[in-house]
Amino acid sequence: MAAATGAVLKTALSLRKSEWMGQALRPTSVNTSAQSQSYNATALSVRAGAYSEELIKTAKRVASPGRGILAMDESNATCGKRLASIGLENTEANRQAYRQLLVSAPGLGQYISGSILFEETLYQSTTDGKKMVDVLVQQDIVPGIKVDKGLVPLAGSNDESWCQGLDGLASRCAAYYQQGARFAKWRTVVSIPNGPSALAVKEAAWGLARYAAIAQDNGLVPIVEPEILLDGEHGLERTFEVALKVWAEVFFYLAENNVLFEGILLKPSMVTPGAECKDRASPETVAQYTLNLLRRRVPPAVPGIMFLSGGQSEVEATLNLNAMNQAPNPWHVSFSYARALQNTCLKTWAGRPENVDAAQKILLVRAKANSLAQLGKYSAEGESAESKEGMFVKGYTY
Ligand code: 13P
């Protein structure tokens, strides 16, 4: 295992910028023939799909200053765990009541530019008969949709997983577009304690790239999310090395699949120590490592980097984002949080109609805090003890 890990790292460290940007092909593909030259030209050409202009506009809208994404795309199983934490049954009516509370929070669009929905919510209406999608659009929030079909064991790997969902994806994306979605999300994961094996990284990167090409063909801006799980005792340096490797592969395959970089959004994990590592890192250190990762791997053509929270506490996720925005950088560095936006809101609601107003106000507090962090103007002064509680769960699924 150690040898395999060493090999992964060696590859990571030896990858040069030209390799992941699609400006050069892997040695096995390169030759001096005319065939090779035309292959290169295809890889470099800007995707001239029917939706190119719209994709670029949508991505820019989602990546607008002082705003970010509210992720509320928990699968029914995961939503059930959230509801159980406040003593509610996992019924469609309870999921509807909670999602309605979120999308209709007054003033949400000031801080939230996009919202990722689970399929059920995309087709669902509020209790007073308005489509959830229309409520979002009225709030100036772009509706998005989770299109992956979840994680399953990756045969032949070190107990790792891969993400399903490519079968039938084109027709599903076309239907989601008709239903009002304008961006998509595909979350796959990489585990540091389990390797990650070269196989798992390649599978994750290839799946993301195929998904991204298919989503763009059907008018949806793909959010590309290879989550590097927080699980483990490893330090920050190790997360950094693995992230370099993962993003090198992701961009290599995105380029190989002719994905239009101006029409994607990224959803990376921040570079933090493993959840069980004794040495914790300050927001400044997390920001320094994470920005270094972006500098080395992410072309400025990518319009938005929307970080996931991954089990950090609400305040921690906001502080880290704020630290990244203390100085100008070439990207729009923002948030696409689920747990770090919803946690105190869910607890405040507790399934009681009389708490809806208070819960919506708390959601606004978190959304505003992250909006300020996107602008580099957040201060944690006055934050509640609850918002500082970590939410890490071992082997978390979505
Ligand atoms: P968290 O912010 O809870 O890690 O959300 C992850 C995610 O992929 C939601 O869409």
Side-chain angles (χ1 to χ4, degrees), residues 25 36 54 119 131 165 173 189 207 221 237 258-259 270 352 360 368 371 377 381:
L25 297 168
S36 150
E54 188 182 334
E119 194 181 62
K131 283 188 188 164
C173 284
V189 302
V221 169
E237 295 281 352
N258 299 312
V259 170
M270 295 176 193
R352 297 207 178 93
Q360 288 181 326
K368 182 177 180 186
S371 160
K377 294 179 179 165
E381 218 170 286

Side-chain angles (χ1 to χ4, degrees), residues 12-319:
L13 296 174
S14 67
L15 275 166
R16 291 190 312 277
K17 195 177 172 202
S18 58
E19 288 174 299
W20 55 257
M21 287 188 77
Q23 288 163 355
L25 297 168
R26 288 196 159 164
T28 48
S29 313
V30 176
N31 61 47
T32 51
S33 69
Q35 183 199 3
S36 150
Q37 280 168 14
S38 71
Y39 185 71
N40 253 323
T42 312
L44 288 174
S45 71
V46 168
R47 195 177 178 81
Y51 289 102
S52 295
E53 272 179 37
E54 188 182 334
L55 292 170
I56 293 168
K57 270 194 203 138
T58 303
K60 273 199 190 136
R61 251 187 91 195
V62 175
S64 55
R67 299 204 298 167
I69 296 176
L70 166 63
M72 45 180 285
D73 57 316
E74 297 85 358
S75 64
N76 284 353
T78 304
C79 193
K81 288 182 203 158
R82 300 276 163 81
L83 294 175
S85 75
I86 54 164
L88 283 195
E89 244 185 276
N90 190 13
T91 59
E92 186 179 343
N94 284 339
R95 293 193 296 271
Q96 176 194 34
Y98 180 52
R99 263 80 185 247
Q100 176 169 343
L101 177 161
L102 296 176
V103 300
S104 60
L108 193 64
Q110 196 183 336
Y111 311 117
I112 299 295
S113 54
S115 179
I116 318 174
L117 308 177
F118 189 58
E119 194 181 62
E120 177 180 89
T121 321
L122 185 73
Y123 290 91
Q124 205 168 37
S125 295
T126 60
T127 43
D128 45 4
K130 287 188 206 132
K131 283 188 188 164
M132 297 271 189
V133 170
D134 292 344
V135 177
L136 286 172
V137 171
Q138 275 160 15
Q139 296 246 49
D140 190 25
I141 297 173
V142 182
I145 175 77
K146 170 186 169 76
V147 300
D148 67 73
K149 292 281 184 186
L151 302 165
V152 286
L154 177 64
S157 72
N158 186 31
D159 218 4
E160 297 164 276
S161 35
W162 70 288
C163 182
Q164 307 180 103
L166 289 179
D167 284 357
L169 181 60
S171 50
R172 281 197 291 125
C173 284
Y176 296 149
Y177 184 95
Q178 288 301 319
Q179 193 60 22
R182 290 294 177 269
F183 69 96
K185 169 204 138 167
W186 176 284
R187 171 185 180 261
T188 190
V189 302
V190 170
S191 159
I192 294 183
N194 290 22
S197 66
L199 173 67
V201 173
K202 187 173 180 177
E203 172 55 41
W206 178 255
L208 282 165
R210 287 303 311 137
Y211 137 77
I214 294 167
Q216 287 194 337
D217 259 2
N218 290 283
L220 302 180
V221 169
I223 291 188
V224 175
E225 181 181 2
E227 176 168 352
I228 297 171
L229 294 170
L230 271 185
D231 302 60
E233 296 172 4
H234 54 274
L236 195 71
E237 295 281 352
R238 175 77 182 124
T239 311
F240 182 64
E241 287 164 346
V242 170
L244 282 175
K245 170 67 184 157
V246 169
W247 282 103
E249 293 248 352
V250 169
F251 274 103
F252 177 79
Y253 288 123
L254 287 172
E256 201 171 58
N257 280 274
N258 299 312
V259 170
L260 174 68
F261 285 4
E262 288 83 351
I264 64 174
L265 294 166
L266 302 187
K267 183 155 169 168
S269 319
M270 295 176 193
V271 179
T272 63
E276 286 127 341
C277 176
K278 285 184 286 308
D279 300 328
R280 303 316 301 161
S282 66
E284 292 68 33
T285 308
V286 170
Q288 187 196 334
Y289 274 78
T290 309
L291 289 173
N292 263 345
L293 169 72
L294 301 186
R295 269 183 217 111
R296 291 190 189 178
R297 290 293 180 265
V298 182
V302 174
I305 321 279
M306 323 298 287
F307 283 96
L308 59 89
S309 60
Q312 302 178 58
S313 77
E314 289 172 318
V315 168
E316 198 182 352
T318 311
L319 279 171

